[in-house]
Amino acid sequence: MAKDIVCGMYVDENKTPFKVSRRGVTYYFCSEVCLKTFLAPEIELRNLKIMTAFALTLGGLTAFLEYIYPIDQILPNNLVLFLLATPIQFIAGWRFYKGTWDAIKARQANMDSLIAIGTSAAWLYSTLYTFQEIGLLPHILPTSLTASGPQVYFTESGLIIGFILLGKTMEHIVKGRASEAVRKLLDLQPRMATVIKDGDEIQIPVEEVNVGDLLIVRPGERIPVDGVVVEGYSSIDESMITGESIPVEKKINDEVIGGTINKTGLLKIKAVKVGLDTMLSQIVKMVEEAILSKTPIQRLADKISAYFVPAVIAVATGSFIFWYIAIGLPFGIAFIMLISVLIIACPCALGIATPAAILIGASKGAQYGILIKSGEQLEKAQKINIVVFDKTGTITKGEPTLTEVIAFNGFTENLVLKYAASVEKGSEHPLGEAIIAGAIQRGVKIDLDIEDFESIPGRGVSAMIDKHKVLLGNKKLLIEHNINIHDSIEEKIKILEEDGKTVMLLALDNQVVGVLAVSDTIKEGAVEAVNSLKNMNINVAILTGDNKRTAYAIARKLGVNLVFAEVLPNDKAYIVKKLREEGKIVAMVGDGVNDAPALTQADVGIAIGSGTDIAKEAGGIILVRNDPRDVVVAIQLSRKTVRKIKENLFWAFIYNVALIPVAAGALYPLGVLLNPIYAAIAMASSSITVTVNSMLLNRFKIERTYAIQ
């Protein structure tokens, strides 16, 4: 069973002929009216406004002539009412008949059925009575049946249609504002792209750009598709995709995202992903899939909705039979109860309670660079009580960084770094690259000429500089060359290694002159993320294949007590499974191929956006920004969204539970009889209330003490 995204009704995918696919997502509808509303919302809103004005104008005139200023001079007053109410019933109300017919063809009931049956019953009875009264029909209805209560119900049938259309119009406007975030995302992609063909620049529609095409993007223009920079340098405003307010510098071989804004320089890019494969399209697709998906909390509403319409018809019929036949009330009173039950029970509010909240929640998440694949993931996230972080690339930067330089025997730190970086010029080892990057960052010139460079696997490197023998590597390298390591140096090495750092020693002519430490540094914001999770009563664990010394060193800096170290990739999923078996609701946060099984095994898999495609595919929530603090934001957003879903369902259920008995006459012994017109107003108001309550999620603000970097 699927949800009609327009009216919220329960739809059998195998029965309904009304469906459409957009960006790889299939939408199912209960009627052609809902399908047209989805395909052309602007046209549908215009038609709704026209029909609403038409129905309320004629309905108001009908009420005036029936209750305030009856006329009988030219035509019988009831016949005038018939002439006014009939166009409302079959022109303004045609959408409800069409929806009912569509439901019959699909062998299921929808909310249009209740409106069509209720208003048709009122109109048909009133028409028969009117034509019987003026002698154009035999006395089909005995006079005794109309002795009490209204003689005709033209006002009720007309204004019911008018008020329901007014509710639909207002709901349409509110939902349009609610889905504005998704439309804004779609509007980010430019319509045209400048492509280089045979050396010439030509403008083509962005849909015609192919993978491998070379594109020119000038300052101030939006990047048409996902690509990679092949020429030029610029800064790119990626705030609409990643939430980062500061423009990101881009150079050759850097990736760029379609829809982002080129701020300064001229760029030549090669198209890598086009059409539905671009990040922008994938974001929109994920948001739409999340809107359509079901949450566990929605299952109860789905079960009720499946049987709701037949049950309401049964209650309406039963209340009429009870009051008219069993109790003996006049026909007119019992008939009002039947119509009121049918009208007030339309399950619009019940149907849109969950989709409306998920729509806002998922769209709001996309604005902050948090992509939620399904409503189920959204609901599960608010229950998380332990977050398991992969270490490398998730809470650490995933690349070695030079952290310490210590000089001995008359050398300065810069001189130690100058020798070390010069030796490493001939190496491609990641540790060597870290030393070179550290030297450049500190402004140290790497200008020493080296000779006889040699890389010693598992040990380090050696070279000759100005006829001096230089060694750079671990303790094993120096021991093998019979170089003495003083106790004071050993003590510093021990402290650095206990802190989880990789230590290299620099020796010049058989004498240790420096110690360099390299480590995978913790990401900015990781400590804040851990502290925020603890403040939310969520436990934190680190799961890594790295050695215990390094893992525990990182854990100490983060304030994490639970550490799983030296874990093989295949065992990561097993550890997550064990935590779940202990009764914990587990979120796994990772970025690599080896994290994918654990992401899938967790209750909620959270993939870092900078990670591999397979990790992002396995994750239920994707953080576009490479920031562990966004894990906190995702959980905050899920909690607020689920709270809105519960509020919506509460009000929808309470509304139906409380008012259906009133409409059926439960308070009639106390003199309270619900007018069908008021029932229509209440029904329309309930849908608007649920939608507006969901829109309050637009006020969601990130509860954090750090700025977006």
Side-chain angles (χ1 to χ4, degrees):
M1 288 290 202
K3 276 281 183 183
D4 185 326
I5 195 172
V6 174
C7 70
M9 282 297 297
Y10 208 51
V11 181
D12 189 332
E13 300 101 316
N14 299 320
K15 293 180 180 179
T16 181
F18 308 106
K19 55 188 175 182
V20 67
S21 292
R22 284 277 185 89
R23 290 179 289 275
V25 181
T26 302
Y27 300 87
Y28 299 90
F29 305 92
C30 69
S31 66
E32 186 179 0
V33 173
C34 287
L35 174 60
K36 287 181 177 178
T37 300
F38 176 79
L39 293 176
E42 296 82 7
I43 295 175
E44 183 60 24
L45 178 59
R46 183 196 65 194
N47 293 339
L48 263 175
K49 288 179 178 178
I50 293 171
M51 288 296 103
T52 299
F54 175 75
L56 289 178
T57 300
L58 291 186
L61 184 57
T62 304
F64 178 77
L65 295 178
E66 181 173 355
Y67 294 110
I68 299 175
Y69 192 76
I71 57 171
D72 282 303
Q73 290 85 349
I74 302 174
L75 295 172
N77 193 60
N78 282 349
L79 184 59
V80 174
L81 300 180
F82 165 80
L83 294 174
L84 291 172
T86 299
I88 303 175
Q89 189 69 36
F90 296 103
I91 297 177
W94 176 249
R95 65 174 49 244
F96 303 118
Y97 289 109
K98 183 69 172 66
T100 302
W101 177 243
D102 291 339
I104 292 171
K105 288 193 295 184
R107 291 172 291 169
Q108 59 187 30
N110 62 15
M111 71 174 192
D112 289 341
S113 309
L114 300 179
I115 299 169
I117 293 171
T119 58
S120 295
W123 178 87
L124 180 61
Y125 169 79
S126 303
T127 300
L128 291 175
Y129 179 83
T130 297
F131 282 87
Q132 172 182 290
E133 182 186 44
I134 62 178
L136 295 179
L137 283 177
H139 283 272
I140 302 172
L141 300 174
T143 306
S144 60
L145 296 186
T146 61
S148 298
Q151 294 179 323
V152 292
Y153 302 90
F154 288 126
T155 296
E156 283 76 4
S157 65
L159 285 182
I160 283 169
I161 290 173
F163 282 122
I164 290 173
L165 289 178
L166 177 61
K168 281 183 170 291
T169 302
M170 294 175 67
E171 182 185 326
H172 204 290
I173 293 171
V174 171
K175 286 173 73 175
R177 290 174 183 166
S179 59
E180 189 175 348
V182 179
R183 290 203 303 273
K184 281 182 178 177
L185 285 172
L186 288 172
D187 291 341
L188 291 178
Q189 187 177 54
R191 298 288 176 262
M192 304 296 288
T194 304
V195 180
I196 300 175
K197 295 280 189 182
D198 299 324
D200 296 325
E201 295 181 16
I202 60 171
Q203 290 265 324
I204 64 172
V206 72
E207 293 80 11
E208 296 179 12
V209 176
N210 297 314
V211 173
D213 282 352
L214 292 179
L215 294 84
I216 294 293
V217 185
R218 292 179 169 80
E221 294 181 345
R222 289 190 183 273
I223 294 172
V225 297
D226 295 357
V228 62
V229 178
V230 295
E231 187 178 311
Y233 175 86
S234 183
S235 59
I236 305 293
D237 180 358
E238 297 183 342
S239 59
M240 64 287 295
I241 300 292
T242 66
E244 295 187 14
S245 57
I246 299 175
V248 181
E249 294 182 355
K250 298 290 182 180
K251 57 185 183 302
I252 294 174
N253 295 328
D254 283 347
E255 294 180 353
V256 290
I257 304 170
T260 56
I261 303 172
N262 182 20
K263 301 290 288 184
T264 52
L266 179 72
L267 289 178
K268 182 186 290 185
I269 68 170
K270 182 173 73 173
V272 175
K273 292 182 179 179
V274 300
L276 298 179
D277 294 328
T278 64
M279 179 179 287
L280 188 60
S281 294
Q282 290 299 307
I283 289 174
V284 174
K285 180 181 177 182
M286 285 182 193
V287 172
E288 292 177 335
E289 285 178 339
I291 296 166
L292 289 176
S293 65
K294 295 184 180 71
T295 65
I297 199 173
Q298 192 178 349
R299 289 170 189 158
L300 176 61
D302 286 348
K303 290 178 181 178
I304 293 175
S305 296
Y307 303 100
F308 195 77
V309 174
V312 167
I313 293 174
V315 169
T317 305
S319 64
F320 173 80
I321 293 172
F322 173 77
W323 290 110
Y324 177 58
I325 297 178
I327 302 301
L329 285 182
F331 176 85
I333 302 297
F335 193 60
I336 282 178
M337 294 177 184
L338 182 145
I339 297 171
S340 294
V341 171
L342 290 174
I343 299 303
I344 205 166
C346 287
C348 307
L350 194 61
I352 66 175
T354 299
I358 291 178
L359 167 64
I360 308 295
S363 301
K364 198 69 180 175
Q367 290 178 5
Y368 287 113
I370 298 168
L371 308 182
I372 301 162
K373 285 188 177 181
S374 70
E376 183 172 1
Q377 293 289 324
L378 192 68
E379 184 175 345
K380 281 183 178 179
Q382 59 97 25
K383 299 177 182 177
I384 291 168
N385 52 34
I386 183 169
V387 175
V388 180
F389 283 98
D390 168 58
K391 183 182 74 67
T392 307
T394 302
I395 56 176
T396 65
K397 293 182 178 179
E399 56 186 31
T401 303
L402 181 68
T403 56
E404 275 93 12
V405 178
I406 305 172
F408 303 103
N409 296 318
F411 270 62
T412 63
E413 290 183 6
N414 281 359
L415 189 56
V416 168
L417 196 51
K418 188 183 191 75
Y419 270 88
S422 296
V423 171
E424 288 290 359
K425 280 193 300 185
S427 171
E428 295 180 354
H429 195 281
L431 297 180
E433 293 175 355
I435 290 174
I436 293 171
I440 294 171
Q441 187 176 9
R442 299 187 187 200
V444 175
K445 291 185 178 180
I446 311 173
D447 55 2
L448 297 178
D449 295 326
I450 65 171
E451 297 175 351
D452 302 328
F453 173 83
E454 181 184 2
S455 177
I456 306 165
R459 301 290 190 270
V461 295
S462 70
M464 296 296 294
I465 298 179
D466 294 334
K467 298 181 180 180
H468 295 288
K469 178 74 170 181
V470 179
L471 296 173
L472 178 64
N474 54 29
K475 287 197 296 184
K476 290 181 180 179
L477 177 66
L478 271 65
I479 291 170
E480 289 174 356
H481 284 77
N482 299 314
I483 297 175
N484 181 49
I485 302 173
H486 196 271
D487 289 344
S488 61
I489 298 176
E490 286 275 16
E491 186 63 30
K492 292 189 180 295
I493 293 171
K494 182 180 178 182
I495 293 171
L496 292 170
E497 287 183 337
E498 285 177 351
D499 203 23
K501 295 172 181 176
T502 300
V503 177
M504 289 173 286
L505 293 89
L506 178 70
L508 188 70
D509 293 334
N510 298 321
Q511 185 180 41
V512 178
V513 296
V515 171
L516 300 95
V518 172
S519 71
D520 184 3
T521 55
I522 294 173
K523 283 183 181 178
E524 183 181 354
V527 174
E528 292 166 279
V530 170
N531 289 337
S532 296
L533 290 170
K534 287 180 177 179
N535 291 335
M536 296 164 68
N537 295 318
I538 297 173
N539 293 323
V540 180
I542 291 177
L543 178 62
T544 179
D546 211 339
N547 63 73
K548 290 183 179 180
R549 186 189 65 199
T550 302
Y552 278 98
I554 294 292
R556 281 196 302 272
K557 293 177 182 177
L558 291 171
V560 175
N561 298 321
L562 185 58
V563 179
F564 302 96
E566 299 178 2
V567 180
L568 296 174
N570 292 340
D571 292 333
K572 287 188 175 183
Y574 173 76
I575 288 175
V576 171
K577 182 180 179 183
K578 290 291 290 182
L579 290 172
R580 292 183 64 191
E581 289 174 351
E582 293 172 8
K584 295 181 174 66
I585 308 299
V586 183
M588 174 68 196
V589 187
D591 74 323
V593 172
N594 60 347
D595 297 324
L599 290 170
T600 306
Q601 182 65 51
D603 293 287
V604 179
I606 302 177
I608 295 288
S610 63
T612 62
D613 287 340
I614 191 168
K616 287 185 277 189
E617 188 65 32
I621 296 176
I622 297 173
L623 308 181
V624 176
R625 288 159 23 90
N626 197 3
D627 193 331
R629 291 172 291 192
D630 284 344
V631 174
V632 180
V633 180
I635 296 173
Q636 289 173 354
L637 180 61
S638 73
R639 288 182 174 182
K640 290 187 180 295
T641 303
V642 171
R643 189 181 306 146
K644 284 298 175 189
I645 292 174
K646 290 178 178 178
E647 289 172 2
N648 288 347
L649 289 174
F650 171 79
W651 288 113
F653 276 118
I654 287 296
Y655 161 81
N656 283 293
V657 169
L659 292 185
I660 288 178
V662 175
L667 299 181
Y668 181 74
L670 302 177
V672 177
L673 181 65
L674 187 64
N675 190 305
I677 294 175
Y678 298 141
I681 294 172
M683 187 275 287
S685 300
S686 69
S687 298
I688 297 169
T689 300
V690 165
T691 308
V692 170
N693 186 48
S694 299
M695 283 191 67
L696 294 177
L697 273 172
N698 277 318
R699 296 160 60 184
F700 171 78
K701 299 292 183 183
I702 295 177
E703 299 171 10
R704 60 187 180 188
T705 58
Y706 60 91
I708 294 177
Q709 299 298 315

